């Protein structure tokens, strides 16, 4: 498992993250088996959000109840959570009061004194950066949160926050897979007026993150689109799956490993956020993070997914 120190922090992070948004109904044994498989595979980083679960903080609480971490076990983990979505609205809330209430709720649910990384979960159109900065300052000084970041934010939205926020924004969690790859694909086809792929939908977010030492965390790494189902094994992606299956056989790994490797091969040093609750898939994804796909193999998958290489 590849690891790196997240820029702007002393947090040692693996290139694969265990997302725990679907454990609400899992038994203690199922949760422990999932997490222990991740740990055995070198994945020491777990991702939560206050809205994951059937009730607020549901998955955070389920994780804590099942794992009952000792102090040493807690210190060996990187726990990340997110706030800002008001599901009952539905709307977003980056106010000082909401951020503080959410973080305190997450701390209670997780049974921990501190959160390693707090992300703002999707942009709030009504954000007041000074309120975010006030919350971040208090959380940082109190030791409740070690580092901060965002999710699904554009460069402009991050710059607006950075005008007030003093702490580095160390991560941006964005949807990315080989089929849902406008973050990458637009730059490849830049200045090609006749191609839809050349239209900028992400306003240079990937390059901006690289330039500003912000780690990209790729969520839904196996989804074809925005919750449209997986591309692995899909009849809509026959050519892509043929390439993936051939590479899986060549490297003696599973297709999930190859799909993971496509993301971790990128020099931006991205993290892959897994949403699976199947331990075997967690292990396979971890194995994929170590695969050194060649440029030719990476671009072959890119083209087979339907992207143009001019």
């Amino acid at each position: 498992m590849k690891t790196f120190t997240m820029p702007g922090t002393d947090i040692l992070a693996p290139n694969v993250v265990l997302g725990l948004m679907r454990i609400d109904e899992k038994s203690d044994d199922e949760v422990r088996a999932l997490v222990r498989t991740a740990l055995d595979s070198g994945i020491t980083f777990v991702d939560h959000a206050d809205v994951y679960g059937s009730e607020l903080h549901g998955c955070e609480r389920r994780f804590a109840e099942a794992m009952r971490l000792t102090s040493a076990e807690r210190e060996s983990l990187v726990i990340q959570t997110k706030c800002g979505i008001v599901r009952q609205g539905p709307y977003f809330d980056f106010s000082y009061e909401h951020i503080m209430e959410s973080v305190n709720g997450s701390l209670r649910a997780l049974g921990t004194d501190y959160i390693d990384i707090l992300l703002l979960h999707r942009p709030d159109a009504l954000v007041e950066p000074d309120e975010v900065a006030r919350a971040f300052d208090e959380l940082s000084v109190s030791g409740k949160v070690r580092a901060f970041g965002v999710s699904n934010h554009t460069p402009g939205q991050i710059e607006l926050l950075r005008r007030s926020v003093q702490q580095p924004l160390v991560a941006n969690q964005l949807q990315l897979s080989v089929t849902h790859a406008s973050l990458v694909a637009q730059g490849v086809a830049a200045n090609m007026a006749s191609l839809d792929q050349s239209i900028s939908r992400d306003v240079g977010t990937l390059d901006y993150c690289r330039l500003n030492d912000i780690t990209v965390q790729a969520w839904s790494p196996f989804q074809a689109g925005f919750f449209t189902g997986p591309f692995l094994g899909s009849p809509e992606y026959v050519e892509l799956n043929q390439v993936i299956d051939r590479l899986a056989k060549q490297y003696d790994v599973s297709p999930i490993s190859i799909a993971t490797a496509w993301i971790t091969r990128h020099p931006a040093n991205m993290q892959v956020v897994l949403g699976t609750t199947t331990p075997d898939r967690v292990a396979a994804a971890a194995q994929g993070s170590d695969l050194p796909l060649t440029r030719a193999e990476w671009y072959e998958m890119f083209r087979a997914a339907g992207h143009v290489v001019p």
Side-chain angles (χ1 to χ4, degrees):
M1 167 66 64
K2 293 190 293 186
T3 60
F4 64 101
T5 300
M6 294 186 73
T9 76
D10 59 357
I11 295 172
L12 184 65
N15 280 90
V16 178
V17 174
L18 182 62
L20 295 171
M21 68 286 292
R22 297 187 177 92
I23 62 169
D24 203 21
E25 303 300 324
K26 297 296 181 181
S27 69
D28 286 358
D29 286 344
E30 289 172 321
V31 174
R32 284 194 287 263
L34 182 67
V35 176
R36 285 172 181 163
T37 298
L39 292 172
D40 289 345
S41 302
I43 301 171
T44 55
F45 194 125
V46 295
D47 176 70
H48 289 278
D50 57 357
V51 293
Y52 291 162
S54 57
E55 60 182 31
L56 195 62
H57 303 291
C59 286
E60 294 172 325
R61 190 173 299 110
R62 183 85 282 278
F63 170 77
E65 291 170 347
M67 296 305 299
R68 300 188 183 278
L69 298 172
T70 65
S71 296
E73 288 170 336
R74 169 63 189 95
E75 290 176 8
S76 69
L77 278 179
V78 178
I79 296 180
Q80 173 176 280
T81 196
K82 301 183 284 294
C83 71
I85 294 178
V86 181
R87 190 167 50 189
Q88 303 92 323
Y91 56 83
F92 308 105
D93 189 347
F94 287 178
S95 66
Y96 165 83
E97 291 79 10
H98 182 80
I99 293 172
M100 298 301 292
E101 180 182 8
S102 175
V103 169
N104 287 325
S106 290
L107 290 169
R108 287 192 297 270
L110 288 164
T112 185
D113 295 329
Y114 66 96
I115 292 164
D116 292 285
I117 304 174
L118 175 71
L119 304 185
L120 298 177
H121 202 175
R122 291 195 173 277
D124 176 12
L126 303 180
V127 63
E128 297 182 48
D130 287 347
E131 289 209 14
V132 175
R134 179 185 167 200
F136 283 11
D137 284 344
E138 288 192 22
L139 292 170
S140 180
V141 170
S142 67
K144 290 182 177 180
V145 178
R146 295 177 62 196
F148 301 87
V150 295
S151 177
N152 304 292
H153 275 56
T154 66
Q157 290 165 336
I158 295 173
E159 282 295 307
L160 181 63
L161 288 171
R162 289 175 70 180
R163 188 174 66 179
S164 298
V165 171
Q166 299 302 306
Q167 297 78 14
L169 297 175
V170 303
N172 191 4
Q173 196 169 109
L174 301 157
Q175 185 174 5
L176 177 66
S177 69
V178 66
T179 52
H180 187 283
S182 62
L183 284 170
V184 178
Q186 188 277 326
V188 172
N191 199 37
M192 305 295 291
S194 62
L195 290 178
D196 178 78
Q197 182 179 317
S198 71
I199 298 172
S200 178
R201 294 177 172 83
D202 304 293
V203 290
T205 298
L206 178 57
D207 292 334
Y208 172 87
C209 288
R210 293 183 73 181
L211 287 166
N212 288 277
D213 293 327
I214 298 172
T215 299
V216 170
Q217 299 179 345
W219 61 270
S220 284
F222 312 128
Q223 285 281 320
F226 184 64
F227 297 112
T228 57
F231 58 82
L232 291 170
S234 170
E236 295 184 18
Y237 293 93
V238 173
E239 183 182 355
L240 174 60
N241 278 287
Q242 287 174 344
V243 174
I244 289 174
D245 289 345
R246 191 193 78 241
L247 291 173
K249 184 177 180 180
Q250 174 185 321
Y251 283 100
D252 192 25
V253 296
S254 76
I256 285 178
S257 303
I258 300 300
T260 301
W262 187 85
I263 297 172
T264 57
R265 168 63 179 84
H266 195 281
N269 210 19
M270 303 181 200
Q271 291 179 296
V272 175
V273 182
L274 305 176
T276 182
T277 57
T278 304
D280 287 349
R281 293 181 180 177
V282 172
Q287 188 177 21
S289 74
D290 289 326
L291 292 182
L293 292 181
T294 68
R295 269 187 163 80
E297 291 165 346
W298 189 93
Y299 274 109
E300 183 181 15
M301 287 179 62
F302 183 73
R303 293 193 307 273
H307 306 298
V308 175
V309 178

